[in-house]
């Protein structure tokens, strides 16, 4: 019986161990466990979240340009701010860089950050950061946001009778990842550069969803204003993330529309998943189901218990041999 | 003439390249370039900063326990909040972990965070974070703080006639690092575990200053209340950091007391360096010099131009072969 290692425990279990050690010190309105923390500050409150992209498990340089890496790093972080019903206002970006990287790489990365914020969250800017060297290229981003007069929307407020709705595309990012793994690796499994010319327009679309996601940031505040009872960022797959709302709200989420496996289980879509009181789902969101009194299952798909919750845990899926 | 790489440019130059790309998008009261950003939020403002510790350039597992790593990661980040005259209120901690790490490592790391906050900044807690895997152990921390009714203290307000003062010890962290490099490596230069029993009490003190720093966090707010005209965290060595205040304030900082090379040039002390109007340096700070009209040199040490600005740039000093 060997020592328990990080690879032997799920991310959830590892987080639980950390939170047990940290104890009940949090003074936040919303502390660890939601998309972002909500912190009281004199006269107001802010939303804060952090997410890291690491070469290997989260991206491969053979496939991801520095511009796309910056774009995605910004997008996935502000998506977590939006998922609280808040408006992103500032990023702090910590870069840990291999010293052999071209200096222009860093500039292209910064361009990706700049353009993602201009596209998705005008008014939000990189306000600070840190530079260090590392053998592993790592982009650690903290996003801050403000609640424009609305209450933060947690995962725990869904009520039976609510509509379940989604803003943004489901499944495309997973299809894009499959394109990378299936078609842009050599015989040894090593990533090779992408040739977009061999891809259909639909495949290019899916690839873009994986490499340069465009989450519907502005719909986060809209959802909060429309009275969303629960809201989250779909980053680990619809079924898994829906089960998180279901468990937090002690209800069952019934997905009524017909969705394929990519839409149900594919990760990294960064769509917004919301629950709204019946009839109040706002424009921009599409109703995909309804909330029921808690049954045996956290989530139902077209009336049946899904065979898998889907989603991905980077601890389980990472194969460092893929390089 | 090869391509310019990260290793070929200074951290300052790399940052300048990034800021040129990002452009004037910042809407912060204080954006990139000081110890921390100051962000307006409805009804108030917050201070935000980020700093990353990477295995290799910033610490070695042979020398640093997970508890100490957590302690130091918390301490150096809240020191940057204190260096704005603010009170730390929340940390976001992003961990990128090799999957072979013992799960208990993560718990000891969390203990270090918890205890550093309890010791140095009661009321501050870890309010969020992120977990991912990486081949390189990386701890990326964002610290947030509030200004308790004081103005943030920048680097640019020092005026001729001000006193220069320091809170906290200078030089001990550098001596501690030298102990590690000189006495706890094998013939090949590889770090070996520390045997504290072979160290004198003074050496153990210096080692602790390197591995588990205790910056005078509460004196940051005190300095702001006492009317500090400039304030910063001494992380890169007194001479280098003093030159930053001198350049930002367009003055010369004259260090009048006799300090050894470790105190003048050693990094990672995380003392607070401040300027106060004459006669108003508060208890807890020690006057070490005075501010003069800008002369040829940014900094003088006992009336002379120092032979070196000292300080360390991780890009210049990192030797990955040291493991």
């Amino acid at each position: 019986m060997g020592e328990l290692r990080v690879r032997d425990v799920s991310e959830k279990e590892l987080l639980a161990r950390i939170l047990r050690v940290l104890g009940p010190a949090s003074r936040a309105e919303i502390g660890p466990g939601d998309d972002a923390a909500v912190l009281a500050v004199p006269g107001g409150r802010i939303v804060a979240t952090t997410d890291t992209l690491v070469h290997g498990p989260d991206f491969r340089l053979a496939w991801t340009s520095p511009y796309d890496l910056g774009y995605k790093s910004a997008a996935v972080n502000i998506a977590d701010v939006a998922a609280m019903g808040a408006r992103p206002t500032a990023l702090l970006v910590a870069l840990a860089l291999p010293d052999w990287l071209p200096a222009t790489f860093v500039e292209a990365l910064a361009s990706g950050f700049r353009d993602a914020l201009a596209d998705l969250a005008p008014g939000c800017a990189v306000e600070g950061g840190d530079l260090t060297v590392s053998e592993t290229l790592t982009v650690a981003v903290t996003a801050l946001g403000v609640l424009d007069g609305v209450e933060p929307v947690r995962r725990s407020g869904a009520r039976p009778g609510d509509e379940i709705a989604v803003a943004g595309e489901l499944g495309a990012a997973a299809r894009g990842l499959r394109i990378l793994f299936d078609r842009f690796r050599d015989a040894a499994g090593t990533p090779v550069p992408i040739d977009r010319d061999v891809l259909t327009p639909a495949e290019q679309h899916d690839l873009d969803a994986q490499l340069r996601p465009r989450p519907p940031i502005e719909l986060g505040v809209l959802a909060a204003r429309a009275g969303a009872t629960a809201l989250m960022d779909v980053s680990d797959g619809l079924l898994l993330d829906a089960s998180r709302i279901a468990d937090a709200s002690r209800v069952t989420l019934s997905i009524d529309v017909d969705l394929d496996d990519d839409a149900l289980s594919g990760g990294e879509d960064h769509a917004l998943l919301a629950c709204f009181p019946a009839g109040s789902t706002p424009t921009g969101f599409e109703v995909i189901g309804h909330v029921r009194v808690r049954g045996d299952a956290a989530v139902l798909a077209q009336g049946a218990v899904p065979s898998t919750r889907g989603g991905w845990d980077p601890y389980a899926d990472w194969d460092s041999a893929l390089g």
Side-chain angles (χ1 to χ4, degrees), chain A:
Chain A
M1 222 181 77
E3 190 177 31
L4 199 67
R5 296 182 184 275
V6 165
R7 69 166 74 95
D8 303 320
V9 295
S10 69
E11 184 176 358
K12 185 177 177 180
E13 166 63 15
L14 202 57
L15 177 60
R17 284 166 174 260
I18 291 170
L19 295 180
R20 273 197 297 274
V21 171
L22 291 176
S26 171
R27 303 195 180 186
E29 185 176 328
I30 301 176
D34 214 305
D35 295 285
V38 177
L39 306 166
V41 298
R45 52 195 176 178
I46 61 156
V47 171
T49 182
T50 186
D51 196 24
T52 304
L53 279 77
V54 177
H55 188 256
D58 297 318
F59 65 91
R60 314 286 161 89
L61 285 179
W63 291 335
T64 297
S65 72
Y67 180 90
D68 285 353
L69 177 59
Y71 201 101
K72 182 168 181 171
S73 298
V76 303
N77 272 280
I78 58 178
D80 277 327
V81 172
M84 299 305 291
R87 178 170 56 86
T89 53
L91 297 188
L92 303 176
V93 179
L95 302 178
L97 306 169
D99 71 353
W100 49 260
L101 274 182
T104 52
F105 184 98
V106 183
E107 293 168 288
L109 187 71
S111 303
F113 271 97
R114 180 196 61 207
D115 290 355
L117 296 178
D119 288 353
L120 305 174
C124 184
V126 176
E127 300 291 7
D130 182 47
L131 289 170
T132 186
V133 285
S134 173
E135 292 180 0
T136 306
L137 175 59
T138 305
V139 183
V141 180
T142 295
L144 304 174
V146 295
L147 293 153
D148 290 328
V150 299
E151 287 298 305
V153 187
R154 308 190 59 157
R155 299 174 178 182
S156 53
R159 296 290 169 260
D162 285 353
E163 293 167 353
I164 305 167
V166 166
E169 202 173 4
L170 291 175
R175 288 193 299 272
L177 187 65
R178 197 159 54 236
I179 290 170
L180 291 172
F181 272 76
D182 290 351
R183 298 175 60 183
F184 297 107
R185 290 193 295 162
D186 63 19
T190 304
V192 299
I194 298 164
D195 177 5
R196 291 180 69 93
D197 292 344
V198 305
L199 299 177
T200 67
E203 287 169 337
Q204 292 186 24
H205 169 89
D206 291 343
L207 198 64
D208 288 342
Q210 166 59 225
L211 295 177
R212 199 187 298 183
R214 297 177 61 98
I217 301 301
E218 78 287 355
L219 295 182
V221 172
L222 182 82
R225 291 214 171 112
T229 56
L231 183 62
M232 73 180 293
D233 169 50
V234 184
S235 54
D236 293 338
L238 178 64
L239 290 177
L240 182 58
D241 286 330
S243 76
R244 291 171 172 151
I245 287 181
D247 290 344
S249 301
R250 300 177 189 192
V251 295
T252 289
L253 264 60
S254 175
I255 314 281
D256 302 328
V257 300
D258 186 16
L259 297 172
D260 65 21
D261 282 349
D262 289 328
L264 288 171
S265 302
E268 298 191 275
D269 277 316
H270 300 288
L272 287 171
L273 174 63
C275 298
F276 295 98
S280 64
T281 295
T283 304
F285 283 83
E286 187 185 351
V287 175
I288 62 164
H290 68 287
V291 179
R292 299 165 58 150
V293 172
R294 179 71 185 212
D296 291 337
V299 178
L300 297 172
Q302 294 197 290
V305 178
S307 56
T308 171
R309 275 193 172 187
W312 79 297
D313 180 335
Y315 288 84
D317 291 15
W318 184 41
D319 178 358
S320 63
L322 290 175

